[in-house]
Amino acid sequence: MAKGAHSSVLFFFSSILVSFIALSVAQQDFLHNCQNNNGNYTSNSAFGTNLNNVLSSISSNTVIDYGFYNESVGQEPDMVNAIALCRGDASVDVCRSCLQNATRKILEVCPNQKEAVGWYDNCMLRYSNKSIFGVVDTQPTIYMGSTQNFSENLSDYKQALQDLLGSLKDTAALGDSLRKFATRDTTSGFQKIYALVQCTPDLDKLKCSDCLENAIRKIPDCCSDKIGGRVIYPSCNLRFENTRFFSPTADSPPPSPSRPLKGNDNTARTVIIIIVPIVSVMILVICIFFFLRMRKQKPKEMIESK
Ligand SMILES: *[C@@H]1O[C@H](CO)[C@@H](O)[C@H](O)[C@H]1NC(C)=O
Ligand SMILES: *[C@@H]1O[C@H](CO)[C@@H](O)[C@H](O)[C@H]1NC(C)=O
Ligand SMILES: *[C@@H]1O[C@H](CO)[C@@H](O)[C@H](O)[C@H]1NC(C)=O
Ligand SMILES: *[C@@H]1O[C@H](CO)[C@@H](O)[C@H](O)[C@H]1NC(C)=O
Ligand SMILES: *[C@@H]1O[C@H](CO)[C@@H](O)[C@H](O)[C@H]1NC(C)=O
Ligand SMILES: *[C@@H]1O[C@H](CO)[C@@H](O)[C@H](O)[C@H]1NC(C)=O
């Protein structure tokens, strides 16, 4: 009886703990790619110094208020080029906080890499020893699809999504050299579709349009029959959901009062919902295993130590 109670308590606390850890990790998810084939640098090299300088320059910048940073530090062959981009609807404060986190995180997850890229929900940061300004870069690609299928008329839905993203692509491409970003929503049957597209604004109109067109073509690879999805490139990205996940901005009228906002049923949330129970159960099983093993092994160890 006492044993049963004991392990129940263990179950309970470990599952709460695991859920907490999984949730906080997922909330600050930093998608990233360290392009290993571009080589390594050593911390005290010229490249390492230049990289630290460019990252601290971005994270401490209090002048830029339009969310786009492009900087080069140093001379060839140790030059570091960096681009940082905040989501077009992120406030200045959120943007700066996001980039402060990203500049720290990228060194942590890609130590000593000459090229790397990482994304939080609200910002993207990349650097390279190559020149990256004004160039469309679609590698690496990150796809994310909701686990939930679209349940109504699928051919209508796909068409509505294509139309929406196509028009957003045109709007974003027309943006200026500080901002190429667009959001809008539409309806298919009874289903709302909210979408967002963005290019790094160092791309010209044609390149932004090409990049987004490329991303739109990739939707069947991840999520054309899903209620939400994302295609993420270093140079541009798109995202759609069935709930409003972006702030109303100048180019998208505020939601009409007759359409109340629903919960946050976005892809990130969906991923958390799937991952938390699985991880909890896995860790729980491991805990129990070791707990039982420990109890059995204790006497043995004592004998050995005599
Ligand atoms: C970047 O670094 C890689 C690996 O060290 C090297 O092969 C490449 O030539 C460098 N590129 C430039 C533009 O310096
Ligand atoms: C660069 O560093 C990574 C991680 O430390 C390592 O896996 C990789 O083999 C290194 N590459 C080279 C070319 O040294
Ligand atoms: C940055 O990190 C801090 C501490 O981990 C966190 O509280 C904050 O929400 C993060 N900011 C953004 C924009 O992600
Ligand atoms: C979603 O659709 C795919 C393919 O049409 C199917 O294999 C999958 O089981 C569906 N998932 C759910 C949750 O209905
Ligand atoms: C879906 O919509 C298309 C075009 O509006 C229509 O032709 C088709 O019959 C619809 N299918 C279903 C299952 O409602
Ligand atoms: C950075 O971007 C701004 C605005 O797009 C542009 O005027 C400037 O020339 C760019 N700097 C570099 C180094 O490309």
Side-chain angles (χ1 to χ4, degrees):
M1 272 295 147
K3 263 185 216 165
H6 200 111
S7 35
S8 300
V9 170
L10 188 72
F11 269 93
F12 182 68
F13 280 110
S14 54
S15 65
I16 286 185
L17 186 68
V18 167
S19 302
F20 255 112
I21 292 168
L23 202 64
S24 56
V25 166
Q27 274 175 347
Q28 303 180 8
D29 213 2
F30 188 64
L31 307 168
H32 61 274
N33 186 287
C34 318
Q35 280 125 313
N36 275 324
N37 49 356
N38 239 39
N40 294 355
Y41 67 89
T42 51
S43 310
N44 51 8
S45 64
F47 188 93
T49 307
N50 293 339
L51 179 59
N52 282 332
N53 287 342
V54 86
L55 294 182
S56 70
S57 160
I58 288 173
S59 69
S60 63
N61 187 308
T62 53
V63 175
I64 290 174
D65 61 1
Y66 46 86
F68 171 57
Y69 304 69
N70 53 346
E71 289 194 31
S72 298
V73 169
Q75 303 294 319
E76 298 276 5
D78 298 310
M79 185 190 277
V80 181
N81 305 293
I83 289 181
L85 179 71
C86 287
R87 221 171 78 174
D89 59 338
S91 71
V92 173
D93 286 345
V94 166
C95 175
R96 286 177 188 162
S97 159
C98 189
L99 288 177
Q100 275 161 18
N101 292 2
T103 50
R104 250 183 290 125
K105 194 77 178 179
I106 206 158
L107 292 176
E108 204 179 296
V109 295
C110 299
N112 301 103
Q113 299 301 309
K114 279 197 165 177
E115 188 170 294
V117 56
W119 297 266
Y120 279 120
D121 258 7
N122 282 313
C123 66
M124 182 266 308
L125 174 67
R126 55 188 291 229
Y127 69 82
S128 176
N129 67 331
K130 294 182 303 190
S131 174
I132 54 177
F133 302 126
V135 182
V136 175
D137 201 343
T138 57
Q139 292 299 329
T141 308
I142 294 183
Y143 301 112
M144 291 170 81
S146 167
T147 50
Q148 217 176 320
N149 288 345
F150 183 73
S151 56
E152 289 175 44
N153 192 322
L154 198 55
S155 64
D156 279 357
Y157 178 70
K158 285 182 180 172
Q159 191 57 51
L161 185 59
Q162 284 288 317
D163 292 350
L164 177 62
L165 291 170
S167 93
L168 286 175
K169 175 199 72 177
D170 293 340
T171 307
L174 284 172
D176 60 20
S177 65
L178 303 184
R179 209 171 99 111
K180 286 188 167 62
F181 172 73
T183 58
R184 201 169 302 144
D185 59 76
T186 190
T187 306
S188 168
F190 294 109
Q191 187 67 65
K192 295 288 297 180
I193 313 174
Y194 297 87
L196 170 161
V197 307
Q198 185 166 24
C199 294
T200 61
D202 56 316
L203 300 183
D204 64 23
K205 180 180 173 224
L206 191 63
K207 283 174 179 166
C208 174
S209 181
D210 282 352
C211 186
L212 287 172
E213 204 164 293
N214 194 321
I216 292 168
R217 271 203 304 271
K218 289 293 193 299
I219 288 178
D221 293 355
C222 71
C223 38
S224 58
D225 52 359
K226 306 295 182 194
I227 57 161
R230 301 166 74 169
V231 178
I232 304 173
Y233 293 144
S235 287
C236 69
N237 67 83
L238 66 81
R239 176 172 178 182
F240 64 94
E241 307 282 356
N242 68 347
T243 54
R244 181 180 292 278
F245 62 95
F246 46 78
S247 318
T249 49
D251 53 12
S252 59
S256 76
S258 61
R259 293 187 212 119
L261 303 186
K262 285 194 221 152
N264 288 324
D265 182 24
N266 55 27
T267 45
R269 183 73 44 124
T270 313
V271 169
I272 292 166
I273 287 166
I274 301 296
I275 287 174
V276 169
I278 292 175
V279 174
S280 304
V281 167
M282 263 168 49
I283 303 227
L284 229 86
V285 168
I286 293 168
C287 282
I288 295 160
F289 177 76
F290 279 107
F291 183 70
L292 295 177
R293 224 174 106 105
M294 223 169 62
R295 295 175 73 94
K296 278 193 189 143
Q297 280 186 346
K298 252 184 192 157
K300 234 193 232 168
E301 282 166 5
M302 279 194 238
I303 293 167
E304 278 169 11
S305 66
K306 269 182 191 165

